[in-house]
Amino acid sequence: MTTMDTLSHWRLDREPDGLARLTFDRAGSAVNALSADTMAELAVVLDALDAAPPAGLIIQSGKSTGFIVGADVNEFASLDTPEQARGLIARGWNLFNRLAAVRYPTLALIQGHCLGGGLELALACRYRLVADQPGTSLALPEVMLGIFPGWGGMLRLPKLIGAPAALDMMLTGRGADARRAAALGLADARVPPRLLQAAARQLVLSKKPPRRARGVGALANLWPFKLLVAKRARKQIAAKDPLGHYPAAPAIVTLWEKHGGNALQAPDLIDAIISSDTARNLLRVFRLQERLKANGKQTSVMPARHVHVVGAGTMGGDIAAWCAYKGLTVTLQDQDMARIAPAIGRAAALYARRLKDPRLARAALDRLIPDPDGGGVPRADIIIEAISEQPEAKRALYQALEPRMKADALLATNTSSLSLETLRSGLARPERLVGIHFFNPVAKMPLVEVVHAEGDADEATARACAFVGQIDKLALPVKSAPGFLVNAVLAPYMLQAMRSVDEGMSPETVDAAMVAFGMPMGPLELADTVGLDIARAAGEELAGGAEPPRCLAERLARGELGKKSGKGFYTWRDGKPVRQGKSGESHATAPAGLAQRLIQPLVDATQGRVQSGVVADADSADAGVIFGTGFAPFTGGPLHYQASNAWRSSKPAQAD
């Protein structure tokens, strides 16, 4: 039996004035996650505090990695029966209700990530203080795993910040940084880290009444306004997911509207959501993401401090901006200041949008240094080349850079198609040239392909992966081959879409079929966004000399390059495609089987990349295609999707 003397994960310290501090430091883990044993121990702590109530209780983390990252997802993965699912939900619901009802004031002291069940624990406290520093994030991201916040989040968050803001957080999974958390009322205050402990003591002993939603936000929790808010939320969900691929979102609305956020009152809904293919597949996607994150955690590699980027075009400028945003010193080189200036302007807009605080935005911009003469080369830990896709120009640049580089500096190319073997020709130390292939737009696309050649030692690849992880991107090691992984699977997919246009289908019909399938945008809108000239170049590289689709050749002959020229498969206005008809053409107008016909070349190409060893295995391939193309996450990835369909089709039909 667990007692206060045998706790493994929690430490309770009482101070002379009666204040108690409860520190969560999960044993054997780099992060705090709520599991059956950690929650059982929390119940023991609450027993002890009931017997001898403190003047106030501060709950804090003993981890440098953050407050609590949520529930232990492995426990969700091991649920085999409806009874187990209900039991898991009841465990957290009952424990946090107990915490919320204690007689003494409680405060959650939040630094770093406070996610899922971690935020639900914090919501059960009377007060919440957040550290005013980068990395603080409060969120209920369960919907992104195909499930719902069942431990009190659907009950307490709407009461705290109002139903509209709470539903937005729960239905999108988006997090709030320290500034937004305080503005929403989710946190009582944001405090500089050095003042957190003193501020926590003062607040928890203040006898200040707990925060509650006010005004319109509070009214939205009451009938009949609640019905209107729920109706509007369902309408927005249906617009984004018309075929209901993601059932957790409407379930959250129903549980809030009809059951006060208590999922235990709707056991059938629990069973349907927890056992759904979507939940299983999104949990798979989460694990794939964690696997890619692990690629970037190379503990033996020293972090980079200075990055030098050559080429201030869209890709190079945005790579430089992102690195500076993530805290690195960056020098950005191009032929003159006139070429660098647009990149600095885009960076300033990014920092203002993302950082909100003008001081932080200014600091990030100060880390991004225009460097037309290349003075940063001798100081850089990593040099990233992002110039035009011309092998001769790249090799000439490397030969100029190599004598000026530090002995231990890494040289990287952002090439999207050229082989490392071709580019290494003429280098004195060819082994330190690696590929670090970002995707456009850099600030939004999470995946980075780390390219190595056949027979390369692991050191350069490990350093490149560590750098990718350092700037909070997902590193996917791939072997040098035309198109690597992502472009190699996108090319036949877009080619098939264009062949369908040649056969007489409208771009709207083709794209609508794939959006209904679950893709973030259709293949022809994607081609327009990438640029039809770039799509043709990639296609030529991978098509083995086949003629380009007629619809592509005709548009290129007219100078219609897609979004950047204002016209391609669509006319573009204000950065958005103009579709024909009332709302384009619906999926209902698409021929039966069109989505499968369009997606099959992508699936086949993904399988081919696994078989040829471009990626390590099928899971790596699925991860790369999901995070590099936005492939419908609810499917679990293209190869998992194909395997699941094959399994279903092989099952014998059951009699009615």
Side-chain angles (χ1 to χ4, degrees), residues 160-382:
L160 182 64
I161 66 173
L167 285 172
D168 180 69
M169 286 188 68
M170 292 188 292
L171 296 177
T172 64
R174 280 196 294 263
D177 61 11
R179 175 182 287 266
R180 179 158 172 75
L184 285 171
L186 180 54
D188 291 85
R190 56 189 176 101
V191 181
R194 69 183 186 280
L195 302 177
L196 270 177
Q197 294 294 341
R201 165 184 286 277
Q202 181 180 27
L203 180 57
V204 79
L205 299 176
S206 69
K207 298 184 179 179
K208 180 181 176 181
R211 281 180 174 266
R212 289 289 181 267
R214 297 180 179 179
V216 174
L219 286 174
N221 286 308
L222 304 174
W223 188 91
F225 305 105
K226 196 173 192 178
L227 303 180
L228 298 175
V229 172
K231 182 178 180 181
R232 179 182 177 189
R234 289 191 181 95
K235 185 176 181 180
Q236 292 172 336
I237 292 168
K240 292 180 179 179
D241 182 24
L243 297 188
H245 293 308
Y246 299 93
I252 288 171
V253 177
T254 297
L255 290 169
W256 166 73
E257 177 197 11
K258 298 182 178 178
H259 303 287
N262 184 358
L264 297 174
Q265 294 182 1
D268 291 345
L269 200 52
I270 294 177
D271 301 347
I273 295 299
I274 298 296
S275 64
S276 68
D277 287 343
T278 295
R280 282 193 292 268
N281 287 340
L282 291 180
L283 180 60
R284 167 182 165 77
V285 172
F286 172 79
R287 287 175 156 170
L288 293 177
Q289 182 179 37
E290 292 301 299
R291 179 175 174 177
L292 293 183
K293 285 181 180 179
N295 291 337
K297 295 175 182 176
Q298 306 284 342
T299 55
S300 62
V301 177
M302 287 292 292
R305 294 186 300 274
H306 185 142
V307 177
H308 184 80
V309 179
V310 184
T314 298
M315 288 303 296
D318 290 358
I319 292 168
W322 183 261
C323 292
Y325 171 65
K326 286 299 174 181
L328 283 75
T329 298
V330 183
T331 41
L332 178 58
Q333 180 180 350
D334 212 312
Q335 294 176 1
D336 51 48
M337 278 302 301
R339 292 176 182 264
I340 298 174
I344 302 297
R346 292 196 307 277
L350 172 70
Y351 303 154
R353 185 171 66 252
R354 290 240 180 177
L355 294 171
K356 304 295 192 292
D357 187 333
R359 295 169 300 172
L360 295 177
R362 181 71 254 175
L365 203 56
D366 287 345
R367 292 192 292 269
L368 179 57
I369 304 165
D371 185 17
D373 297 325
V377 172
R379 300 190 302 274
D381 301 303
I382 180 167

Side-chain angles (χ1 to χ4, degrees), residues 10-30:
W10 301 87
R11 185 181 72 252
L12 182 65
D13 299 301
R14 293 182 183 262
E15 300 182 3
D17 61 357
L19 184 71
R21 295 181 185 273
L22 180 61
T23 303
F24 184 24
D25 191 359
R26 188 185 185 194
S29 174

Side-chain angles (χ1 to χ4, degrees), residues 508-599:
E508 288 85 357
T509 297
V510 173
D511 280 354
M514 294 318 303
V515 170
F517 175 83
M519 302 294 270
M521 68 173 65
L524 299 173
E525 182 181 344
L526 176 62
D528 267 4
T529 303
V530 170
L532 299 188
D533 52 340
I534 294 173
R536 177 181 61 183
E540 288 174 347
E541 178 76 21
L542 297 161
E547 285 292 316
R550 186 176 67 255
C551 61
L552 176 63
E554 290 172 352
R555 284 168 171 79
L556 289 172
R558 296 194 295 264
E560 298 172 358
L561 305 182
K563 184 177 181 179
K564 59 188 173 185
S565 69
K567 193 169 185 180
F569 285 99
Y570 298 98
T571 298
W572 290 77
R573 291 179 190 156
D574 300 323
K576 295 182 179 180
V578 178
R579 305 183 191 281
Q580 300 299 314
K582 293 180 180 179
S583 58
E585 294 185 33
S586 71
H587 179 57
T589 64
L594 175 58
Q596 186 62 42
R597 181 156 64 94
L598 292 169
I599 210 68

